[in-house]
Amino acid sequence: MIREKMGRVAQHTSKLWSTSVCRPRSRHFVKAVLVLALLAGFASACSGPSVEPATTTTTRPATTTTTPATTTSTAATTTTETTTTTPPTTTTMQATTTTTTLPPTTTTLVCSTAGVLATWSVQRLAEQTVVVPVDESDVSAVSSEVAAGAGGVILFGASAPSSLGADVRSLDSSALGGIAPFVMADEEGGVVQRLGNLVGSIPSAREMGSTMTAAQIRQLATGLAERMRAAGVTMDLAPVLDVDGGVGPNNQDPDGTRSFSANEKTTSLDGLAFAEGLEAGGVVPVVKHFPGLGGSTGNTDVMPASTPPWSTLKRVGLVPFEDAIAAGVPAVMISNATIPGLAKIPASVSTAVITGLLRDQLGYQGLVITDSLSAVALSAIGYSVPKATVAALEAGADMVLFNSGPGALASLTSRTVSAVVSAVRTGSLELSRLESAVMHILDAKHVNLCSAG
């Protein structure tokens, strides 16, 4: 009905408009326009509000959207404006705060022997690489060296007292940090025995190799080690793995009957059996004299000497050591001989021999000990014990042996340790090399610095 009325009004307005074009505009025309506007507003109110498309606002912070006012004008002599304004729409986003609570993090510091060694002084590290000599009848004579941290004690003499075991236990009780020194002896058999009166006499290596099976040698060595251990001795500087058929030992032939055989395979088999027997009895074996001293030109204790050429040595003399290393022997002693074609200086201070051959080529990671650095083979070419000690450690050795009379021992030990400390401070000996040497020593002693107590 509203639409019909609007239609009639529109027709009437049209007539008025056509009339107004031909004559001046009258009051009736103005009234008609006003009526039309009122009816249009009424129709709009009855038909409901206009619907604006939904608007989604995702902007932070709050966004205010305003539709500008729209103005509509009707062209006429008298103009009436109708204005429609959409009120501003404000959308406010509430800030959301999320709090996540993480469980507390616990950092556990893992102890390691290497980590503990990093806290040791250079002096203490150096002390551990030194093996001090002492007469087996008076081991307490080196109690001050052991208390300072000496890594080993080597027994000399030919008639050990029955109290040796108790004497060694007393000595061990004075060890710095409770780390007992190795107590070493040359208990090879035959003419080289230090403890025969306590542990019993055993045949020479040459006799064992020619009269006993490998199993019998192993059994003999196990019994020997058990008796040595009871006497407080923890390391045997044996077996000799040199391949030699000479009549020594003497100044011209340092091996002789100390060698199991002139055949490298026999020496390898029997020597390894002896080493395994010592380990089974609780004593650390030390195979010697790497890389082979058999057939050398003399005894390095009393003169400079050389081995056969490297081309020969690596095919014969080296074989027993290769087999022993493959079997996992815990310790190797280095000779003081030069090696034509490999080392122009004694093997004990040669990087080519210890690091190049033993460590790198053969992959040996165990303990490396020098032969006595008091040997004429070294002193004759200008190496004092302190100088030779630094050179040996630089070359890759871990522990050093030397000889000294009781009256000179304290001074010589002190000078040797001081030389090592000085070498580290001046940079000629890397601290990491010294720490590595001590790690090898402690591994061979089965010492864990992180253990309680």
Side-chain angles (χ1 to χ4, degrees), residues 3-377:
R3 295 183 183 277
E4 290 177 359
K5 288 182 179 181
M6 289 179 62
R8 288 196 294 271
V9 171
Q11 290 175 1
H12 179 66
T13 302
S14 178
K15 289 178 180 179
L16 289 175
W17 175 255
S18 2
T19 305
S20 67
V21 172
C22 301
R23 59 187 175 88
R25 295 177 181 85
S26 67
R27 293 191 310 271
H28 298 290
F29 173 78
V30 175
K31 288 180 180 179
V33 172
L34 289 174
V35 170
L36 180 61
L38 288 172
L39 288 174
F42 180 73
S44 175
C46 292
S47 60
S50 60
V51 178
E52 294 292 334
T55 301
T56 302
T57 304
T58 58
T59 306
R60 295 192 181 100
T63 301
T64 301
T65 306
T66 304
T67 303
T70 303
T71 303
T72 305
S73 300
T74 304
T77 304
T78 301
T79 305
T80 301
E81 296 180 349
T82 301
T83 302
T84 304
T85 302
T86 302
T89 302
T90 302
T91 305
T92 303
M93 303 296 292
Q94 295 294 327
T96 302
T97 302
T98 303
T99 303
T100 303
T101 303
L102 297 175
T105 301
T106 302
T107 301
T108 303
L109 298 178
V110 179
C111 180
S112 67
T113 294
V116 176
L117 285 183
T119 69
W120 281 22
S121 67
V122 177
Q123 172 94 13
R124 186 174 182 185
L125 292 168
E127 293 276 5
Q128 192 66 208
T129 67
V130 171
V131 179
V132 293
V134 68
D135 191 286
E136 58 195 12
S137 64
D138 185 20
V139 296
S140 64
V142 293
S143 58
S144 61
E145 284 76 19
V146 171
V153 172
I154 181 169
L155 304 178
F156 287 99
S159 181
S162 59
S163 63
L164 181 61
D167 296 343
V168 168
R169 286 191 293 274
S170 178
L171 182 67
D172 287 347
S173 68
S174 67
L176 179 63
I179 302 174
F182 277 126
V183 178
M184 310 176 183
D186 291 286
E187 205 65 22
E188 300 173 10
V191 297
V192 182
Q193 294 185 86
R194 306 293 184 190
L195 310 169
N197 63 310
L198 287 184
V199 300
S201 180
I202 62 173
S204 69
R206 176 74 56 78
E207 185 177 347
M208 283 188 267
S210 60
T211 65
M212 300 171 68
T213 65
Q216 291 171 327
I217 294 171
R218 186 180 297 105
Q219 184 178 15
L220 179 149
T222 299
L224 172 67
E226 290 169 348
R227 296 188 293 275
M228 290 176 71
R229 188 77 191 205
V233 180
T234 55
M235 177 176 278
D236 190 359
L237 302 179
V240 171
L241 293 188
D242 302 331
V243 179
D244 191 272
V247 296
N250 53 45
N251 287 348
Q252 287 71 45
D253 177 9
D255 286 324
T257 60
R258 298 169 68 195
S259 169
F260 284 93
S261 174
N263 179 279
E264 66 272 19
K265 290 300 182 182
T266 300
T267 297
S268 180
L269 182 66
D270 293 345
L272 188 55
F274 192 92
E276 291 171 345
L278 290 175
E279 272 203 291
V283 169
V284 178
V286 181
V287 296
K288 60 185 185 184
H289 307 84
F290 184 86
L293 197 56
S296 62
T297 60
N299 185 340
T300 57
D301 289 343
V302 297
M303 68 179 74
S306 61
T307 67
W310 175 234
S311 58
T312 301
L313 189 65
K314 67 183 178 182
R315 291 187 291 102
V316 180
L318 185 64
V319 172
F321 292 97
E322 289 176 318
D323 292 344
I325 290 166
V329 291
V332 173
M333 180 185 286
I334 310 297
S335 85
N336 285 322
T338 59
I339 305 162
L342 180 63
K344 294 181 179 180
I345 58 176
S348 55
V349 293
S350 170
T351 301
V353 174
I354 303 176
T355 298
L357 175 60
L358 181 59
R359 296 287 195 201
D360 295 343
Q361 186 174 325
L362 299 183
Y364 183 67
Q365 298 302 316
L367 180 65
V368 176
I369 305 175
T370 70
D371 203 345
S372 175
L373 298 182
S374 300
V376 173

Side-chain angles (χ1 to χ4, degrees), residues 369-436:
I369 305 175
T370 70
D371 203 345
S372 175
L373 298 182
S374 300
V376 173
L378 287 159
S379 62
I381 58 174
Y383 283 93
S384 64
V385 169
K387 179 181 178 181
T389 296
V390 172
L393 291 171
E394 289 174 345
D398 304 315
M399 298 190 88
V400 298
L401 303 180
F402 56 86
N403 300 87
S404 176
L409 178 61
S411 174
L412 181 56
T413 303
S414 177
R415 287 185 286 114
T416 299
V417 171
S418 294
V420 175
V421 172
S422 178
V424 171
R425 288 176 177 167
T426 60
S428 63
L429 174 63
E430 294 288 338
L431 176 59
S432 59
R433 169 77 274 275
L434 182 59
E435 289 176 336
S436 176

